[in-house]
């Protein structure tokens, strides 16, 4: 005798997953169908929230701790820039001195070559 099976466990599992996906998609579709938000509504919310955001930003901008932190950061940045310019100036000066010495040596060599060419 053969026994009739209503389906394997895996088949039922796949069917349940498919049904859950269909229900989820239908729920999202229904929510989006009934929940309409226009661009004007979005702009209105943003405009309504603007005074609170501006007030918070103004409070943070006038907070003594924040001002002190900005001052310290600017001071550190100024010192770093000064140090970098000083180092750049030293390197540039050294490079110019070396180039000047090279140019003088080349001019002297050229002058000697010209003098030798005139003799011979």
């Amino acid at each position: 005798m053969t026994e009739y099976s209503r389906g394997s466990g895996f088949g039922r599992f796949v069917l349940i997953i498919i049904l859950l996906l269909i229900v989820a998609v239908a729920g999202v579709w229904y929510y989006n169908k009934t929940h309409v938000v226009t661009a004007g509504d979005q702009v209105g919310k943003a405009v309504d929230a603007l005074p609170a955001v501006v007030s918070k930003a103004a409070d943070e901008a006038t907070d003594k701790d924040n001002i002190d932190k900005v001052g310290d950061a600017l001071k550190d940045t100024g010192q770093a820039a000064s140090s970098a310019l000083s180092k750049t100036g030293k390197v540039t000066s050294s490079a110019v001195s070396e180039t000047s010495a090279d140019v003088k040596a080349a001019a002297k060599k050229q002058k000697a070559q010209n003098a030798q060419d005139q003799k011979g």
Side-chain angles (χ1 to χ4, degrees), residues 32-48:
N32 286 333
K33 180 182 173 191
T34 60
H35 188 261
V36 178
V37 179
T38 64
D41 293 337
Q42 295 288 5
V43 170
K45 287 179 185 178
V47 169
D48 291 343

Side-chain angles (χ1 to χ4, degrees), residues 14-115:
V14 171
L15 181 62
I16 290 171
I17 295 296
I18 291 172
L19 289 175
L20 287 174
L21 286 173
I22 290 171
V23 169
V25 168
V28 169
W29 174 79
Y30 181 75
Y31 175 78
N32 286 333
K33 180 182 173 191
T34 60
H35 188 261
V36 178
V37 179
T38 64
D41 293 337
Q42 295 288 5
V43 170
K45 287 179 185 178
V47 169
D48 291 343
L50 188 61
V53 171
V54 170
S55 176
K56 182 179 177 185
D59 290 343
E60 288 178 0
T62 57
D63 183 29
K64 183 170 177 15
D65 290 337
N66 287 341
I67 291 172
D68 290 342
K69 287 178 186 176
V70 169
D72 291 342
L74 287 173
K75 180 179 169 186
D76 292 345
T77 302
Q79 290 174 348
S82 174
S83 175
L85 283 174
S86 176
K87 289 177 183 176
T88 302
K90 289 177 184 176
V91 169
T92 303
S93 176
S94 175
V96 167
S97 294
E98 289 176 11
T99 304
S100 177
D102 290 344
V103 168
K104 285 180 184 177
K108 197 174 191 181
K109 184 177 180 182
Q110 183 65 37
K111 191 175 184 182
Q113 181 71 30
N114 288 342

